[in-house]
């Protein structure tokens, strides 16, 4: 998070400065390439904020993620380990589960819960909204003040 914050451009005086927004001519593709390279940390923060808002605004999804996070935290951090560092086998009824089986069971439960709570659609919705907002900003924001090197092989 600190690395992301250190690479962000100023929000009020640069990223959202009203005087820096202009109508693009035929240079919209170059503007988009330059702005995406120049503001990638700001764009990442926008996606992260929209995703967090989406999760917080869906209480059932939020509760499920907290419970799953707690279950994974318990399994990976708190659960007792043997001398070699592997998870101590757990007995459920007459069945003894190895550490691998415990992780596999929790992974299966996680997948089912995430499908039922629509995390996938929430993430894709956040991605779509972010892409529209970022695309509009990247095309409409002037690039005359940017000093950025764009490696064409990365595009």
């Amino acid at each position: 998070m600190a690395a992301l914050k250190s690479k962000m451009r100023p929000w009020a005086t640069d990223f959202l400065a009203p005087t820096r927004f202009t109508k693009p001519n035929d240079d919209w593709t170059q503007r988009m390439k330059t702005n995406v390279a120049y503001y990638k940390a700001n764009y990442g923060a926008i996606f992260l904020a929209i995703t967090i808002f989406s999760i917080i605004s869906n209480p059932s999804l939020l509760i499920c993620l907290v419970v799953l996070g707690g279950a994974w935290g318990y399994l990976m951090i708190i659960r007792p380990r043997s001398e070699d560092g592997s998870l101590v086998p757990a007995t459920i009824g007459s069945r003894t589960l190895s550490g691998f089986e415990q992780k596999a069971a929790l992974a299966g439960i996680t997948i089912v819960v995430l499908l039922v709570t629509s995390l996938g659609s929430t993430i894709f919705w956040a991605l779509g909204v972010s892409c529209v907002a970022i695309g509009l900003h990247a095309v409409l924001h002037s690039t005359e003040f940017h000093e950025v090197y764009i490696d064409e092989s990365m595009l």
Side-chain angles (χ1 to χ4, degrees):
M1 202 62 153
L4 180 69
K5 189 174 182 180
S6 69
K7 293 180 180 181
M8 276 193 206
R9 305 296 178 176
W11 290 91
T13 58
D14 186 6
F15 187 77
L16 295 174
T19 58
R20 302 242 175 131
F21 288 93
T22 59
K23 181 180 175 187
N25 297 320
D26 291 336
D27 64 339
W28 68 271
T29 55
Q30 186 59 39
R31 277 187 179 203
M32 185 169 274
K33 289 178 188 177
T34 303
N35 281 329
V36 166
Y38 191 74
Y39 292 117
K40 62 185 161 196
N42 295 70
Y43 294 151
I46 288 172
F47 173 70
L48 190 62
I50 290 172
T51 303
I52 289 170
F53 172 77
S54 301
I55 291 170
I56 290 172
S57 64
N58 185 344
S60 64
L61 179 59
L62 180 61
I63 291 168
C64 287
L65 288 176
V66 168
V67 169
L68 284 173
W72 278 103
Y74 174 76
L75 184 66
M76 300 306 289
I77 298 169
I78 299 171
R79 181 108 171 85
R81 300 201 176 260
S82 61
E83 290 180 12
D84 66 351
S86 63
L87 288 170
V88 173
T91 303
I92 300 176
S94 62
R95 174 90 168 113
T96 301
L97 300 175
S98 69
F100 175 78
E101 291 171 325
Q102 293 172 48
K103 292 175 193 171
L106 189 54
I109 291 168
T110 300
I111 290 169
V112 169
V113 167
L114 294 181
L115 288 173
V116 169
T117 60
S118 71
L119 178 65
S121 63
T122 300
I123 297 294
F124 280 113
W125 179 86
L127 183 63
V129 170
S130 298
C131 286
V132 169
I134 289 166
L136 285 172
H137 181 273
V139 169
L140 297 175
H141 198 280
S142 173
T143 59
E144 64 190 65
F145 300 107
H146 301 348
E147 292 180 21
V148 65
Y149 170 74
I150 298 176
D151 184 4
E152 294 293 329
S153 67
M154 299 297 288
L155 301 175

